[in-house]
Amino acid sequence: MNIHHPFSRRDFLRVSSLGVGALALSDTLMSFAPKDGKKLGIALVGLGYYSYGQLGPALLHTKNCYLSGIVTGHPAKAEAWKKQYNIPDKNIYNYETFDNIKDNPDIDIIYVVLPVSMHKEYTIRAAQAGKHVICEKPMALNAKECEEMIAACKKANRLLSIGYRLHFEPHNMEIMRLGQKQIYGKVTAIDTGNGFVYGGTDNSAWRLKKAMAGGGGLMDMGIYSIQGSRYTLGQEPVAVKARQEKTRPEFFNEVDETVYWELEFPGGFVATGKSSYNHNWGYLHVEAEKGKFGLEPAYGYGSVEGYTPAGPMHIPQVIHQAMQMDDFAECVRQNKQSRVPGEEGLKDMKVVDAIYRSLDSGKKEKIV
Amino acid sequence: MNIHHPFSRRDFLRVSSLGVGALALSDTLMSFAPKDGKKLGIALVGLGYYSYGQLGPALLHTKNCYLSGIVTGHPAKAEAWKKQYNIPDKNIYNYETFDNIKDNPDIDIIYVVLPVSMHKEYTIRAAQAGKHVICEKPMALNAKECEEMIAACKKANRLLSIGYRLHFEPHNMEIMRLGQKQIYGKVTAIDTGNGFVYGGTDNSAWRLKKAMAGGGGLMDMGIYSIQGSRYTLGQEPVAVKARQEKTRPEFFNEVDETVYWELEFPGGFVATGKSSYNHNWGYLHVEAEKGKFGLEPAYGYGSVEGYTPAGPMHIPQVIHQAMQMDDFAECVRQNKQSRVPGEEGLKDMKVVDAIYRSLDSGKKEKIV
């Protein structure tokens, strides 16, 4: 338990109402009380599905932060959000007035929820406007862009975090503990997959455009499989060999559909992983010397279920994004690095870059 | 009053709760009671802003129809809508399973809310699946596509309506009456404009792509100005001369930003109109022999205000889309043409086509 933020009865009631009963899970889940009682203001940039379907609703459950502003090019969207979330006109921006956010004390954190190709520009502009930044995953089109984003935020002396909600999801956190602390002995095998059946095109057609999305299932869903392997082991992979499959080439004519890979870690351990826009996958299976553990469903917005050699995990569900945003607000208060900083996004993008190189070369590629 | 659907006390209470007090306005507002008490099912195709911000909420206020299904390529969106609107799994489709809607008795009407370039395909597939169709405005990329859509719906013996919500908005309906019945004498001048300041790009960037949107401010906003002129006079224009202006050519590099036009009617009467992605316009000003009348704001989702030589209009506000969808459901029940059928969309697209020809030629162009 964080001594700066003693766990109060009020906290207990609040967390309970989210369904978090397993209070001994981790001190990180309990250090959410703001120091001075004032919530930090978050502005969402981009009001597509992830904002309206996930982040907006989650921000009704946060305790350290609240939805204080929005950025959208569409006055009609602004109007709808303004009413729903009671946002004052002065906290509503568009992409041309964006930089004026620097003068707005109601906005402490900017959350970039745009198509991937716009992450770099708006993360950097947000930091230059003096605001702390959360950038959605995948962090950027490639590792080089990630490096520029990290450097720009450092230069502006602002914190940068990536929208890796599962680092705040207790089943995934338990997997990190079981794997990294070798609770069941050394990990001997990891297999993980993530994907969904992309059911055709619609307003979000940007996901199928390489220039806007950077890639397909690998960028959008594979990131979770890569993360899962990395945080189970607590190590960084050194090489990868990948292959891909397309059953709907006319539809996925610019981006990858299904990708399979073997991810090599120091010492030669190999984790198998896959991603897809054509299969409903969402699991992380781990074998260790003393038994098997894992998650299924592992990575979705809905419930997560886990198992260990001792039986099923009995861990309540939480609102991932509420936990994630509250933690970042607390990091901002304490001026400390998030557990999912820009560097964490960069690590994944180095793996992604190597997987794409391997798909091109047909060979094992080093992760550099 | 429609004799098949006598206006009951229950209707009165319901309409009142929407803020419709001016009950003498039009019998069309009062003929909404379903024959057998069963609401018709509507499926929304495409879950972008207009669906989540306008149509979904409006469908909580409809009486003849309800949101029975959705079509989306994204399982996560499907999940969020399913919870919010209590939609059973069997009524959730994607773009690949779309045609199976033909076997679903819960879905009577399909509402196409996709980027413009997809209107034709999904309107035709909906009709071929045996469903009645509402297609959002602008109806299609051009008049030729509109004709194909009308023909396909006729061949399938299904009703087709365009999302012209203002034909069900009482201030605009009053303008139709004042102009067409010459309540203040012959109309001597019409000036109308519609537009907003497009504040940069975001997830809805398809609006800036000519291949997906068909055009810019003219297609999206100018349609209202064209409609306003046409329904004030109750006549069809015969020619148009147009010019355009671009202050942000790098941004509007594919589509029109601001367009001005002179719309000529039979007998030589000329209405001036304009559309923009760079000005906040939304008015319809009419001069008649015995005085001036008009609307401002005229066309937005929010409140509409009107004036006549006798003073301001005192007409309550309604939920435009709820009125529009309820009317179409009633048309389906009675198997009668909507007041805004495909032919109404075609008439506007013929004007739009002529405006684009005039922008190219620099000359007055006939509307054919």
mmCIF file of all heavy atoms in Angstrom, chain A residues 196-232:
data_model
loop_
_atom_site.group_PDB
_atom_site.id
_atom_site.type_symbol
_atom_site.label_atom_id
_atom_site.label_comp_id
_atom_site.label_asym_id
_atom_site.label_seq_id
_atom_site.Cartn_x
_atom_site.Cartn_y
_atom_site.Cartn_z
ATOM 1 N N PHE A 196 -9.652 -10.565 -34.326
ATOM 2 C CA PHE A 196 -11.104 -10.670 -34.476
ATOM 3 C C PHE A 196 -11.414 -10.743 -35.961
ATOM 4 O O PHE A 196 -10.572 -10.417 -36.800
ATOM 5 C CB PHE A 196 -11.840 -9.513 -33.799
ATOM 6 C CG PHE A 196 -11.629 -8.163 -34.421
ATOM 7 C CD1 PHE A 196 -12.463 -7.711 -35.453
ATOM 8 C CD2 PHE A 196 -10.612 -7.327 -33.982
ATOM 9 C CE1 PHE A 196 -12.282 -6.458 -36.020
ATOM 10 C CE2 PHE A 196 -10.418 -6.065 -34.547
ATOM 11 C CZ PHE A 196 -11.256 -5.637 -35.565
ATOM 12 N N VAL A 197 -12.634 -11.174 -36.268
ATOM 13 C CA VAL A 197 -13.054 -11.253 -37.658
ATOM 14 C C VAL A 197 -13.546 -9.872 -38.076
ATOM 15 O O VAL A 197 -14.621 -9.424 -37.670
ATOM 16 C CB VAL A 197 -14.165 -12.296 -37.851
ATOM 17 C CG1 VAL A 197 -14.574 -12.352 -39.314
ATOM 18 C CG2 VAL A 197 -13.684 -13.656 -37.385
ATOM 19 N N TYR A 198 -12.728 -9.192 -38.829
ATOM 20 C CA TYR A 198 -13.084 -7.862 -39.315
ATOM 21 C C TYR A 198 -14.196 -8.053 -40.334
ATOM 22 O O TYR A 198 -14.010 -8.660 -41.375
ATOM 23 C CB TYR A 198 -11.860 -7.216 -39.968
ATOM 24 C CG TYR A 198 -11.925 -5.710 -40.094
ATOM 25 C CD1 TYR A 198 -10.925 -4.910 -39.571
ATOM 26 C CD2 TYR A 198 -12.969 -5.091 -40.751
ATOM 27 C CE1 TYR A 198 -10.958 -3.529 -39.679
ATOM 28 C CE2 TYR A 198 -13.018 -3.713 -40.866
ATOM 29 C CZ TYR A 198 -12.012 -2.936 -40.334
ATOM 30 O OH TYR A 198 -12.046 -1.572 -40.448
ATOM 31 N N GLY A 199 -15.360 -7.528 -40.024
ATOM 32 C CA GLY A 199 -16.538 -7.841 -40.823
ATOM 33 C C GLY A 199 -16.830 -6.840 -41.906
ATOM 34 O O GLY A 199 -17.967 -6.430 -42.073
ATOM 35 N N GLY A 200 -15.831 -6.413 -42.627
ATOM 36 C CA GLY A 200 -16.088 -5.502 -43.728
ATOM 37 C C GLY A 200 -15.771 -4.082 -43.341
ATOM 38 O O GLY A 200 -15.418 -3.793 -42.207
ATOM 39 N N THR A 201 -15.946 -3.212 -44.304
ATOM 40 C CA THR A 201 -15.507 -1.832 -44.126
ATOM 41 C C THR A 201 -16.655 -0.975 -43.616
ATOM 42 O O THR A 201 -17.809 -1.321 -43.757
ATOM 43 C CB THR A 201 -14.996 -1.279 -45.463
ATOM 44 O OG1 THR A 201 -14.416 -0.014 -45.243
ATOM 45 C CG2 THR A 201 -16.132 -1.148 -46.462
ATOM 46 N N ASP A 202 -16.345 0.112 -42.973
ATOM 47 C CA ASP A 202 -17.357 1.124 -42.640
ATOM 48 C C ASP A 202 -16.657 2.436 -42.357
ATOM 49 O O ASP A 202 -15.593 2.698 -42.881
ATOM 50 C CB ASP A 202 -18.291 0.655 -41.532
ATOM 51 C CG ASP A 202 -17.602 0.529 -40.190
ATOM 52 O OD1 ASP A 202 -16.393 0.761 -40.116
ATOM 53 O OD2 ASP A 202 -18.287 0.206 -39.227
ATOM 54 N N ASN A 203 -17.271 3.285 -41.544
ATOM 55 C CA ASN A 203 -16.727 4.618 -41.320
ATOM 56 C C ASN A 203 -15.280 4.590 -40.834
ATOM 57 O O ASN A 203 -14.556 5.556 -40.995
ATOM 58 C CB ASN A 203 -17.553 5.361 -40.267
ATOM 59 C CG ASN A 203 -19.026 5.321 -40.584
ATOM 60 O OD1 ASN A 203 -19.536 4.317 -41.031
ATOM 61 N ND2 ASN A 203 -19.701 6.419 -40.366
ATOM 62 N N SER A 204 -14.892 3.512 -40.202
ATOM 63 C CA SER A 204 -13.537 3.438 -39.673
ATOM 64 C C SER A 204 -12.582 2.816 -40.679
ATOM 65 O O SER A 204 -11.615 2.163 -40.310
ATOM 66 C CB SER A 204 -13.529 2.623 -38.389
ATOM 67 O OG SER A 204 -14.335 3.236 -37.436
ATOM 68 N N ALA A 205 -12.878 3.021 -41.939
ATOM 69 C CA ALA A 205 -12.101 2.372 -42.985
ATOM 70 C C ALA A 205 -10.617 2.734 -42.947
ATOM 71 O O ALA A 205 -9.812 2.110 -43.623
ATOM 72 C CB ALA A 205 -12.692 2.697 -44.352
ATOM 73 N N TRP A 206 -10.249 3.732 -42.132
ATOM 74 C CA TRP A 206 -8.828 4.080 -42.040
ATOM 75 C C TRP A 206 -7.983 2.889 -41.587
ATOM 76 O O TRP A 206 -6.811 2.808 -41.918
ATOM 77 C CB TRP A 206 -8.613 5.283 -41.120
ATOM 78 C CG TRP A 206 -8.894 5.060 -39.657
ATOM 79 C CD1 TRP A 206 -10.050 5.336 -39.000
ATOM 80 C CD2 TRP A 206 -7.992 4.537 -38.668
ATOM 81 N NE1 TRP A 206 -9.941 5.001 -37.670
ATOM 82 C CE2 TRP A 206 -8.690 4.510 -37.437
ATOM 83 C CE3 TRP A 206 -6.666 4.079 -38.701
ATOM 84 C CZ2 TRP A 206 -8.115 4.053 -36.251
ATOM 85 C CZ3 TRP A 206 -6.094 3.617 -37.528
ATOM 86 C CH2 TRP A 206 -6.808 3.605 -36.321
ATOM 87 N N ARG A 207 -8.568 1.954 -40.867
ATOM 88 C CA ARG A 207 -7.798 0.803 -40.382
ATOM 89 C C ARG A 207 -7.296 -0.082 -41.515
ATOM 90 O O ARG A 207 -6.408 -0.901 -41.311
ATOM 91 C CB ARG A 207 -8.647 -0.051 -39.430
ATOM 92 C CG ARG A 207 -8.915 0.624 -38.123
ATOM 93 C CD ARG A 207 -9.583 -0.307 -37.126
ATOM 94 N NE ARG A 207 -9.869 0.401 -35.889
ATOM 95 C CZ ARG A 207 -8.966 0.626 -34.937
ATOM 96 N NH1 ARG A 207 -7.743 0.159 -35.044
ATOM 97 N NH2 ARG A 207 -9.299 1.310 -33.854
ATOM 98 N N LEU A 208 -7.887 0.056 -42.678
ATOM 99 C CA LEU A 208 -7.477 -0.768 -43.811
ATOM 100 C C LEU A 208 -6.486 -0.046 -44.713
ATOM 101 O O LEU A 208 -6.032 -0.610 -45.705
ATOM 102 C CB LEU A 208 -8.707 -1.181 -44.620
ATOM 103 C CG LEU A 208 -9.712 -2.057 -43.860
ATOM 104 C CD1 LEU A 208 -10.944 -2.323 -44.702
ATOM 105 C CD2 LEU A 208 -9.059 -3.372 -43.446
ATOM 106 N N LYS A 209 -6.170 1.210 -44.382
ATOM 107 C CA LYS A 209 -5.259 2.006 -45.204
ATOM 108 C C LYS A 209 -3.877 2.014 -44.560
ATOM 109 O O LYS A 209 -3.723 2.504 -43.443
ATOM 110 C CB LYS A 209 -5.777 3.447 -45.315
ATOM 111 C CG LYS A 209 -7.165 3.566 -45.926
ATOM 112 C CD LYS A 209 -7.125 3.297 -47.415
ATOM 113 C CE LYS A 209 -8.522 3.202 -47.992
ATOM 114 N NZ LYS A 209 -8.531 2.571 -49.320
ATOM 115 N N LYS A 210 -2.902 1.493 -45.303
ATOM 116 C CA LYS A 210 -1.556 1.397 -44.729
ATOM 117 C C LYS A 210 -1.026 2.762 -44.290
ATOM 118 O O LYS A 210 -0.385 2.882 -43.244
ATOM 119 C CB LYS A 210 -0.609 0.761 -45.747
ATOM 120 C CG LYS A 210 0.759 0.449 -45.160
ATOM 121 C CD LYS A 210 1.553 -0.499 -46.039
ATOM 122 C CE LYS A 210 2.998 -0.640 -45.570
ATOM 123 N NZ LYS A 210 3.116 -1.034 -44.152
ATOM 124 N N ALA A 211 -1.311 3.791 -45.083
ATOM 125 C CA ALA A 211 -0.781 5.118 -44.756
ATOM 126 C C ALA A 211 -1.341 5.651 -43.446
ATOM 127 O O ALA A 211 -0.680 6.425 -42.751
ATOM 128 C CB ALA A 211 -1.085 6.099 -45.889
ATOM 129 N N MET A 212 -2.542 5.259 -43.072
ATOM 130 C CA MET A 212 -3.150 5.769 -41.842
ATOM 131 C C MET A 212 -2.974 4.823 -40.662
ATOM 132 O O MET A 212 -2.858 5.268 -39.523
ATOM 133 C CB MET A 212 -4.646 6.040 -42.055
ATOM 134 C CG MET A 212 -4.911 7.178 -43.015
ATOM 135 S SD MET A 212 -6.683 7.609 -43.095
ATOM 136 C CE MET A 212 -6.816 8.734 -41.678
ATOM 137 N N ALA A 213 -2.987 3.504 -40.925
ATOM 138 C CA ALA A 213 -2.952 2.527 -39.830
ATOM 139 C C ALA A 213 -1.556 1.946 -39.624
ATOM 140 O O ALA A 213 -1.284 1.372 -38.577
ATOM 141 C CB ALA A 213 -3.942 1.403 -40.103
ATOM 142 N N GLY A 214 -0.699 2.075 -40.630
ATOM 143 C CA GLY A 214 0.660 1.533 -40.508
ATOM 144 C C GLY A 214 0.726 0.056 -40.841
ATOM 145 O O GLY A 214 1.759 -0.464 -41.234
ATOM 146 N N GLY A 215 -0.395 -0.633 -40.675
ATOM 147 C CA GLY A 215 -0.460 -2.071 -40.917
ATOM 148 C C GLY A 215 -1.846 -2.548 -40.512
ATOM 149 O O GLY A 215 -2.717 -1.729 -40.193
ATOM 150 N N GLY A 216 -2.035 -3.870 -40.510
ATOM 151 C CA GLY A 216 -3.366 -4.398 -40.244
ATOM 152 C C GLY A 216 -3.493 -5.036 -38.876
ATOM 153 O O GLY A 216 -3.261 -4.401 -37.849
ATOM 154 N N GLY A 217 -3.832 -6.336 -38.877
ATOM 155 C CA GLY A 217 -4.050 -7.041 -37.621
ATOM 156 C C GLY A 217 -2.850 -7.003 -36.700
ATOM 157 O O GLY A 217 -3.001 -6.970 -35.479
ATOM 158 N N LEU A 218 -1.654 -7.007 -37.270
ATOM 159 C CA LEU A 218 -0.451 -6.990 -36.425
ATOM 160 C C LEU A 218 -0.384 -5.705 -35.604
ATOM 161 O O LEU A 218 -0.143 -5.746 -34.387
ATOM 162 C CB LEU A 218 0.809 -7.137 -37.287
ATOM 163 C CG LEU A 218 2.139 -7.062 -36.527
ATOM 164 C CD1 LEU A 218 2.252 -8.158 -35.473
ATOM 165 C CD2 LEU A 218 3.326 -7.128 -37.494
ATOM 166 N N MET A 219 -0.602 -4.567 -36.262
ATOM 167 C CA MET A 219 -0.522 -3.279 -35.560
ATOM 168 C C MET A 219 -1.629 -3.143 -34.524
ATOM 169 O O MET A 219 -1.413 -2.647 -33.422
ATOM 170 C CB MET A 219 -0.654 -2.135 -36.575
ATOM 171 C CG MET A 219 0.555 -1.909 -37.436
ATOM 172 S SD MET A 219 1.932 -1.157 -36.526
ATOM 173 C CE MET A 219 1.461 0.582 -36.569
ATOM 174 N N ASP A 220 -2.826 -3.571 -34.890
ATOM 175 C CA ASP A 220 -3.989 -3.320 -34.041
ATOM 176 C C ASP A 220 -4.128 -4.375 -32.942
ATOM 177 O O ASP A 220 -4.389 -4.047 -31.780
ATOM 178 C CB ASP A 220 -5.242 -3.312 -34.938
ATOM 179 C CG ASP A 220 -6.488 -2.873 -34.201
ATOM 180 O OD1 ASP A 220 -6.367 -2.171 -33.177
ATOM 181 O OD2 ASP A 220 -7.594 -3.223 -34.652
ATOM 182 N N MET A 221 -3.961 -5.650 -33.313
ATOM 183 C CA MET A 221 -4.220 -6.745 -32.383
ATOM 184 C C MET A 221 -2.937 -7.445 -31.931
ATOM 185 O O MET A 221 -2.837 -7.896 -30.786
ATOM 186 C CB MET A 221 -5.156 -7.769 -33.036
ATOM 187 C CG MET A 221 -6.472 -7.179 -33.538
ATOM 188 S SD MET A 221 -7.406 -6.293 -32.251
ATOM 189 C CE MET A 221 -8.065 -7.663 -31.302
ATOM 190 N N GLY A 222 -1.966 -7.546 -32.824
ATOM 191 C CA GLY A 222 -0.728 -8.257 -32.509
ATOM 192 C C GLY A 222 0.058 -7.619 -31.380
ATOM 193 O O GLY A 222 0.753 -8.307 -30.625
ATOM 194 N N ILE A 223 -0.093 -6.306 -31.272
ATOM 195 C CA ILE A 223 0.567 -5.583 -30.184
ATOM 196 C C ILE A 223 0.269 -6.241 -28.830
ATOM 197 O O ILE A 223 1.134 -6.338 -27.962
ATOM 198 C CB ILE A 223 0.061 -4.112 -30.173
ATOM 199 C CG1 ILE A 223 0.660 -3.329 -31.352
ATOM 200 C CG2 ILE A 223 0.337 -3.433 -28.844
ATOM 201 C CD1 ILE A 223 2.061 -2.825 -31.133
ATOM 202 N N TYR A 224 -0.946 -6.726 -28.654
ATOM 203 C CA TYR A 224 -1.322 -7.362 -27.390
ATOM 204 C C TYR A 224 -0.569 -8.674 -27.195
ATOM 205 O O TYR A 224 -0.155 -9.006 -26.085
ATOM 206 C CB TYR A 224 -2.827 -7.646 -27.345
ATOM 207 C CG TYR A 224 -3.691 -6.426 -27.239
ATOM 208 C CD1 TYR A 224 -4.225 -5.824 -28.365
ATOM 209 C CD2 TYR A 224 -3.990 -5.871 -26.003
ATOM 210 C CE1 TYR A 224 -5.037 -4.701 -28.272
ATOM 211 C CE2 TYR A 224 -4.800 -4.756 -25.894
ATOM 212 C CZ TYR A 224 -5.324 -4.165 -27.037
ATOM 213 O OH TYR A 224 -6.119 -3.065 -26.933
ATOM 214 N N SER A 225 -0.434 -9.441 -28.277
ATOM 215 C CA SER A 225 0.291 -10.711 -28.166
ATOM 216 C C SER A 225 1.761 -10.461 -27.845
ATOM 217 O O SER A 225 2.367 -11.184 -27.044
ATOM 218 C CB SER A 225 0.174 -11.497 -29.485
ATOM 219 O OG SER A 225 -1.167 -11.785 -29.778
ATOM 220 N N ILE A 226 2.318 -9.443 -28.490
ATOM 221 C CA ILE A 226 3.719 -9.100 -28.219
ATOM 222 C C ILE A 226 3.868 -8.670 -26.760
ATOM 223 O O ILE A 226 4.750 -9.149 -26.030
ATOM 224 C CB ILE A 226 4.190 -7.979 -29.180
ATOM 225 C CG1 ILE A 226 4.201 -8.498 -30.626
ATOM 226 C CG2 ILE A 226 5.565 -7.457 -28.765
ATOM 227 C CD1 ILE A 226 4.322 -7.404 -31.678
ATOM 228 N N GLN A 227 2.978 -7.792 -26.328
ATOM 229 C CA GLN A 227 2.970 -7.363 -24.927
ATOM 230 C C GLN A 227 2.860 -8.571 -23.989
ATOM 231 O O GLN A 227 3.611 -8.690 -23.024
ATOM 232 C CB GLN A 227 1.765 -6.447 -24.679
ATOM 233 C CG GLN A 227 1.960 -5.014 -25.096
ATOM 234 C CD GLN A 227 2.509 -4.177 -23.953
ATOM 235 O OE1 GLN A 227 1.965 -4.180 -22.853
ATOM 236 N NE2 GLN A 227 3.604 -3.504 -24.194
ATOM 237 N N GLY A 228 1.927 -9.460 -24.282
ATOM 238 C CA GLY A 228 1.696 -10.610 -23.407
ATOM 239 C C GLY A 228 2.957 -11.437 -23.218
ATOM 240 O O GLY A 228 3.307 -11.835 -22.096
ATOM 241 N N SER A 229 3.663 -11.698 -24.323
ATOM 242 C CA SER A 229 4.907 -12.461 -24.231
ATOM 243 C C SER A 229 5.943 -11.711 -23.409
ATOM 244 O O SER A 229 6.612 -12.287 -22.544
ATOM 245 C CB SER A 229 5.484 -12.701 -25.633
ATOM 246 O OG SER A 229 4.542 -13.367 -26.430
ATOM 247 N N ARG A 230 6.071 -10.423 -23.690
ATOM 248 C CA ARG A 230 7.086 -9.618 -23.008
ATOM 249 C C ARG A 230 6.814 -9.519 -21.508
ATOM 250 O O ARG A 230 7.704 -9.657 -20.680
ATOM 251 C CB ARG A 230 7.173 -8.220 -23.638
ATOM 252 C CG ARG A 230 7.808 -8.215 -25.041
ATOM 253 C CD ARG A 230 7.893 -6.799 -25.630
ATOM 254 N NE ARG A 230 8.492 -5.903 -24.668
ATOM 255 C CZ ARG A 230 7.911 -4.801 -24.180
ATOM 256 N NH1 ARG A 230 6.726 -4.429 -24.611
ATOM 257 N NH2 ARG A 230 8.526 -4.081 -23.283
ATOM 258 N N TYR A 231 5.539 -9.287 -21.135
ATOM 259 C CA TYR A 231 5.315 -9.089 -19.690
ATOM 260 C C TYR A 231 5.149 -10.395 -18.924
ATOM 261 O O TYR A 231 5.210 -10.398 -17.696
ATOM 262 C CB TYR A 231 4.258 -8.029 -19.379
ATOM 263 C CG TYR A 231 2.830 -8.172 -19.884
ATOM 264 C CD1 TYR A 231 2.012 -9.241 -19.551
ATOM 265 C CD2 TYR A 231 2.275 -7.132 -20.628
ATOM 266 C CE1 TYR A 231 0.691 -9.296 -19.981
ATOM 267 C CE2 TYR A 231 0.953 -7.170 -21.064
ATOM 268 C CZ TYR A 231 0.163 -8.259 -20.745
ATOM 269 O OH TYR A 231 -1.129 -8.293 -21.163
ATOM 270 N N THR A 232 4.963 -11.499 -19.621
ATOM 271 C CA THR A 232 5.013 -12.785 -18.916
ATOM 272 C C THR A 232 6.458 -13.095 -18.516
ATOM 273 O O THR A 232 6.724 -13.535 -17.398
ATOM 274 C CB THR A 232 4.471 -13.911 -19.808
ATOM 275 O OG1 THR A 232 3.111 -13.632 -20.139
ATOM 276 C CG2 THR A 232 4.542 -15.256 -19.106
#
